[in-house]
Amino acid sequence: MSEMEQADGAVVVAAESGLSLKGLYEVFLSPMSFFERLGKTPKVLVGMLTIIILSGVFVYATQDILAQMQYDMTVQQMEEKGQTVPPVMSVELFKKTVWVSLPFMVLIPVIYAALFMFIGNFVLGTNVSYKQMLAVAVYGEIIFAVGNLFLIPLILSKGMPLVSIGPAAFIADPMNNMVMFTALGKLGVFQIWEIIVAGLGLSAVCQISRNKGLLLSVISIGGLSLVHSVITYFTV
C-alpha cells in the first residue's frame, strides 16, 4: 500500500509504505528499482540505524582483537619516540575507545553524500537535494557494513583485524605494510560492490546515465579512500 503525501492541498508523490525496510534487502537484489523509488521519497533513519547495529555486531565480536592491535601500535610508536608507556594505558582502555567510535560510523555516508552533491550538482549539473544523496550513500554503506560481518571469522581465526576479502589479503605482513594494506583494502569485494551500487543509485536519483553515476561514485568514494590512504602514510 502507498500513502499520499500532500502539500498545499495538492498531491505531490505516493510514498511507498515500508520502503525503508524493503531497501535493506532490495539494495542487494534490485538496487536500480529500489533507488528509483527511494529518490522520490528519500529515507535515511532506518538505514543509519542498520549501519550502527551491523557495526555494533562487528565491534562486539572483534573488540578484544581490535583493542589489542591499537594498544600494540600505540606502545610501539611511543617506544620508538623514547616515551614511557603510562601505567593507566591498557587494552581495556582501548576497548572503550573502540566502542566510542561506533556512533561516528554514520558520518561516513554523511561525507559521501556531501561529495555526491558537490560533484553532482556543481560539476555534472544535476539538481538533487542533499537528503536524496544521503539516502543513496546510506543504503550503499549498508553493503560495506554487511561485508564487515564476513570478515569476523577471518579476524577471529587469524587473531588480527588486518584481513581482507580482496587483493589486500595477499600482503604477507600487513602490520609492517600498513599503507599498502590500506590502499589495496579499498579494492575489496564489498568495497567495489558498494561503489557500483551507489553509482546505480546516483544514476537513478540524479536521472543521469549509469556511466556518469558510476563515475560520480568512483570519484567521491574513491577520493575519500585515497585521503584515508594518504593519512595512513603520514601517521603510521
Side-chain angles (χ1 to χ4, degrees):
M1 298 294 292
S2 296
E3 299 174 356
M4 305 305 292
E5 295 185 354
Q6 298 185 350
D8 297 329
V11 174
V12 177
V13 67
E16 181 178 345
S17 177
L19 181 61
S20 297
L21 294 175
K22 292 177 184 177
L24 299 181
Y25 60 87
E26 287 192 13
V27 72
F28 292 93
L29 304 177
S30 53
M32 279 297 291
S33 172
F34 167 64
F35 282 120
E36 285 173 355
R37 287 136 56 211
L38 185 68
K40 298 174 182 177
T41 54
K43 309 288 184 181
V44 298
L45 180 58
V46 170
M48 283 188 166
L49 290 176
T50 301
I51 291 173
I52 293 177
I53 291 171
L54 294 177
S55 300
V57 172
F58 174 79
V59 170
Y60 178 79
T62 62
Q63 58 182 320
D64 292 334
I65 298 173
L66 291 172
Q68 185 66 55
M69 188 193 77
Q70 291 183 9
Y71 174 80
D72 292 342
M73 290 181 64
T74 302
V75 169
Q76 181 181 353
Q77 291 173 355
M78 293 182 69
E79 290 177 344
E80 289 175 352
K81 295 177 181 179
Q83 299 174 345
T84 302
V85 179
V88 295
M89 195 173 76
S90 64
V91 175
E92 290 300 318
L93 180 62
F94 279 91
K95 276 188 185 180
K96 296 179 181 179
T97 63
V98 168
W99 282 103
V100 168
S101 65
L102 187 60
F104 293 97
M105 295 300 298
V106 297
L107 289 180
I108 297 176
V110 168
I111 297 172
Y112 283 161
L115 293 173
F116 291 160
M117 187 169 183
F118 176 78
I119 299 173
N121 287 359
F122 294 100
V123 177
L124 298 182
T126 61
N127 184 24
V128 181
S129 70
Y130 177 78
K131 188 173 182 180
Q132 288 174 298
M133 294 296 199
L134 182 58
V136 172
V138 165
Y139 279 90
E141 187 68 10
I142 287 175
I143 292 176
F144 176 79
V146 169
N148 278 340
L149 300 185
F150 285 87
L151 297 179
I152 293 175
L154 296 177
I155 293 174
L156 296 180
S157 63
K158 292 190 174 184
M160 64 177 298
L162 300 180
V163 299
S164 174
I165 304 176
F170 294 100
I171 298 179
D173 188 7
M175 279 294 291
N176 293 319
N177 295 279
M178 189 68 75
V179 176
M180 183 62 69
F181 179 85
T182 300
L184 292 180
K186 306 303 180 183
L187 301 176
V189 172
F190 286 92
Q191 285 84 346
I192 298 298
W193 192 352
E194 176 186 8
I195 289 174
I196 293 174
V197 167
L200 295 176
L202 292 169
S203 171
V205 171
C206 299
Q207 298 184 353
I208 55 179
S209 68
R210 291 191 180 186
N211 288 340
K212 286 186 177 181
L214 290 172
L215 178 62
L216 177 54
S217 179
V218 168
I219 292 175
S220 302
I221 299 178
L224 197 60
S225 297
L226 179 60
V227 170
H228 183 205
S229 299
V230 172
I231 292 175
T232 301
Y233 176 80
F234 286 105
T235 55
V236 175

